[in-house]
């Protein structure tokens, strides 16, 4: 019996490595094919396909800190995650994520890596002055989305509902002006998304799996793009909307239901593509269905909260549907209309493999195995925690695949898909030998940030 178990574990480990090898081949193909297309046709509009990045080997002031944080998470992360009290763990995960993101961004220096990120030509801080009258600007917002209109918005502003830009307008209004404060806000607030994911896993699956996932949420290569990208902030808001919904259905809390609805509404007004988070929300409702059944009134505060942000923007004069349709036009006016769908539809997945890392690839293989075993079971027992975790992760993967097939995310998905990537990382909780996998995650992140400059 002992030999059989050892053989089975070795077989599972080999399959994990095969999955990682397949992902590595996908990334290699995306690099080679992408390089050929860009050199011969110049239609990708990225300098280091499939990533929107430039080859730029360098060290920086954040290098020692990044190495120290990586070493600490690998050496002590799993043990501390198992021993700390729950509240202390959440605080430690948030602080560690802040340290990891900040140190990686600082490899490029303060100005290039943090303070200057959100002040470039297509970024949000370039239009702060146009929001001196917020209600009037919202009423007029859709008139400047399409190229050819008077004073068209820069790409990122045109590509998102106005709540994205209003985040930085309001920071400016309360005195946190400039790229430095904006960058710090994105890092500090964005890092809370890791804690939100853990809260959801604990509520829907169990605490053991949440604790096993904790170090992987901290050390993910995605941190390279969380510092500093507004998509890191979007990811945190989306994560908290799901976490609060998980608490609502498991604790039957009307307050959590209302707060979840409020944040779901805000999420959809931060990024059009994040409406796909409705799929993850649906998975939460399925996993916690006993809550709404026992307390049907949960639906009322959820819907009431969900209506708040859309109603506010509608009263202010912004039409979400009109903005989305105009965005589609703007997207095809620019490089989005030139970038070849036939390449990006699979190269985007290579970007996802990079930002989530080899551990997540192996974790997704185990997620699939868990669901297949469950499907083949003839028993009607309640789903174990691993199955519930697998369902949540699979919902996030499905949302990402729909975004991919839509053709509205061609390139830069290493940044744009951060909100979805955050929910793929918990698959790593299913892996044995966490330190080895954490090492692979950290090494990949360090290599990316030291060999490439990931501007956008």
């Amino acid at each position: 019996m002992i030999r059989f178990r050892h053989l089975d574990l070795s077989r599972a480990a080999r399959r994990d490595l095969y999955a990682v090898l397949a992902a590595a081949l996908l990334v290699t193909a995306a690099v080679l094919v992408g390089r050929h297309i860009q050199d011969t046709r110049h239609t990708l509009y990225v300098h280091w396909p499939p990533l929107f990045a430039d080859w730029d080997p360098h060290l920086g002031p954040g290098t020692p800190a990044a190495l120290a944080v990586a070493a600490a998470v690998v050496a002590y992360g799993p043990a501390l995650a198992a021993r700390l009290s729950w509240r202390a763990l959440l605080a430690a995960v948030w602080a560690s994520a802040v340290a990891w993101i900040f140190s990686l961004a600082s490899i490029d220096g303060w100005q290039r890596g943090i303070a200057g990120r959100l002040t470039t030509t297509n970024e949000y801080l370039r239009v702060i002055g146009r929001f001196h009258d917020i209600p009037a600007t919202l009423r007029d917002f859709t008139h400047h989305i399409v190229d050819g209109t008077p004073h068209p918005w820069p790409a990122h502003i045109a590509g998102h509902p106005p709540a994205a830009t209003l985040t930085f307008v309001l920071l400016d209004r309360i005195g946190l002006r400039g790229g430095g404060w904006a960058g710090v806000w994105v890092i500090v607030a964005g890092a809370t998304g890791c804690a939100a994911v853990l809260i959801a896993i604990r509520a829907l699956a169990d605490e053991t799996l949440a604790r096993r996932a904790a170090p992987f949420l901290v050390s993910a290569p995605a941190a390279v793009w969380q510092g500093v990208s507004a998509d890191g902030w979007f990811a945190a808001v989306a994560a908290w909307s799901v976490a609060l919904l998980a608490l609502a259905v498991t604790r039957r809390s009307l307050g959590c239901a209302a707060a979840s609805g409020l944040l779901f509404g805000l999420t959809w007004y931060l990024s059009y593509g994040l409406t796909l988070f409705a799929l993850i929300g649906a998975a939460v409702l399925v996993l916690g269905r006993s809550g709404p059944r026992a307390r049907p009134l949960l639906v009322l505060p959820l819907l009431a909260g969900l209506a708040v942000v859309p109603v506010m923007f509608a009263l202010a004069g912004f039409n979400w549907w009109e903005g989305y349709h105009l965005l589609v036009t703007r997207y095809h006016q620019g490089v989005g209309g030139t970038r070849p769908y036939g390449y990006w539809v699979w190269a985007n997945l290579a970007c996802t493999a990079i930002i989530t890392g080899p551990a997540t690839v192996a974790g997704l293989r185990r997620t699939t195995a868990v669901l297949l075993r469950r499907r083949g079971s003839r028993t009607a027992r309640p789903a174990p925690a691993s199955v519930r975790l697998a369902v949540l992760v699979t919902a996030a993967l499905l949302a990402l695949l729909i975004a991919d097939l839509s053709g509205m995310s061609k390139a830069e998905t290493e940044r744009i898909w951060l909100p979805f990537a955050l929910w793929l990382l918990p698959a790593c909780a299913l892996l044995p030998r966490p330190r080895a996998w954490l090492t692979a995650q950290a090494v990949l992140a360090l290599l990316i940030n030291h060999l490439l400059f990931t501007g956008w």
Side-chain angles (χ1 to χ4, degrees), residues 78 81-82 89 198 207-217 426 428-434 438:
L89 174 61
L198 293 184
E207 187 171 320
T208 299
L209 285 173
R211 289 177 178 275
R212 288 180 61 84
F216 291 98
L217 283 160
C428 300
L430 302 175
L431 296 171
R433 305 181 185 89
L438 285 169

Side-chain angles (χ1 to χ4, degrees), residues 276-339:
L276 288 171
F277 257 74
L279 290 174
I280 304 177
V284 172
L285 292 175
V286 169
L287 292 172
R289 58 185 176 272
S290 60
R293 285 178 180 175
R295 197 173 187 182
L297 287 177
L298 283 172
V299 177
L300 296 179
L302 177 65
L303 294 177
L306 187 62
V308 170
V309 173
V311 167
M312 288 177 60
F313 275 97
L315 292 175
F318 173 74
N319 186 316
W320 190 96
W321 282 106
E322 180 185 7
Y324 174 72
H325 288 300
L326 291 171
L327 164 64
V328 173
T329 300
R330 170 71 178 264
Y331 185 77
H332 289 99
Q333 284 178 326
V335 297
T338 304
R339 285 171 169 160

Side-chain angles (χ1 to χ4, degrees), residues 122-437:
N122 289 315
E123 285 289 358
Y124 302 95
L125 267 64
R126 296 299 290 265
V127 300
I128 296 294
R130 292 175 63 175
F131 280 77
H132 60 277
D133 184 340
I134 293 176
T137 305
L138 292 178
R139 286 193 299 272
D140 199 43
F141 191 88
T142 56
H143 297 154
H144 305 284
I145 292 177
V146 177
D147 267 342
T149 55
H151 309 293
W153 296 117
H156 288 183
I157 291 81
H160 295 81
T165 309
L166 280 178
T167 298
F168 302 99
V169 172
L170 295 177
L171 284 176
D172 182 83
R173 292 287 177 88
I174 65 174
L176 302 181
R177 298 183 177 90
W181 280 115
V184 170
W185 166 262
V186 168
I187 292 173
V188 173
T192 66
C194 297
V197 173
L198 293 184
I199 289 170
I201 296 170
R202 185 191 190 218
L204 297 170
D206 70 10
E207 187 171 320
T208 299
L209 285 173
R211 289 177 178 275
R212 288 180 61 84
F216 291 98
L217 283 160
V218 171
S219 64
V224 172
W225 289 272
Q226 285 178 289
V228 180
S229 161
D231 297 271
W233 157 240
F234 306 160
V237 176
W240 281 107
S241 68
V242 175
L244 288 167
L245 182 59
L247 292 178
V249 298
T250 54
R251 298 183 180 180
R252 301 169 190 174
S253 167
L254 298 178
C256 287
S260 173
L262 181 66
L263 289 185
F264 265 112
L266 176 58
T267 297
W268 298 343
Y269 277 74
L270 289 170
S271 175
Y272 295 106
L274 294 187
T275 52
L276 288 171
F277 257 74
L279 290 174
I280 304 177
V284 172
L285 292 175
V286 169
L287 292 172
R289 58 185 176 272
S290 60
R293 285 178 180 175
R295 197 173 187 182
L297 287 177
L298 283 172
V299 177
L300 296 179
L302 177 65
L303 294 177
L306 187 62
V308 170
V309 173
V311 167
M312 288 177 60
F313 275 97
L315 292 175
F318 173 74
N319 186 316
W320 190 96
W321 282 106
E322 180 185 7
Y324 174 72
H325 288 300
L326 291 171
L327 164 64
V328 173
T329 300
R330 170 71 178 264
Y331 185 77
H332 289 99
Q333 284 178 326
V335 297
T338 304
R339 285 171 169 160
Y341 180 85
Y343 170 77
W344 287 111
V345 74
W346 59 273
N348 284 339
L349 302 180
C351 292
T352 303
I354 292 171
I355 67 173
T356 57
T360 306
V361 172
L364 289 174
R365 188 211 66 82
R366 291 192 177 240
T367 296
T368 303
V370 166
L371 291 177
L372 291 176
R373 283 200 301 269
R374 176 65 183 177
R375 185 179 179 182
S377 174
R378 297 182 179 179
T379 63
R381 292 176 297 177
S386 59
V387 174
R388 299 169 73 82
L389 174 64
V391 169
L392 188 63
V393 170
T394 302
L397 182 60
L398 177 61
L400 183 147
L401 292 175
I402 292 173
D404 186 33
L405 293 173
S406 74
M408 288 296 292
S409 299
K410 289 183 284 188
E412 301 181 60
T413 52
E414 64 272 17
R415 169 183 59 82
I416 298 169
W417 288 354
L418 283 174
F420 302 115
L422 203 59
W423 292 93
L424 301 182
L425 298 172
C428 300
L430 302 175
L431 296 171
R433 305 181 185 89
R435 284 192 176 87
W437 289 111

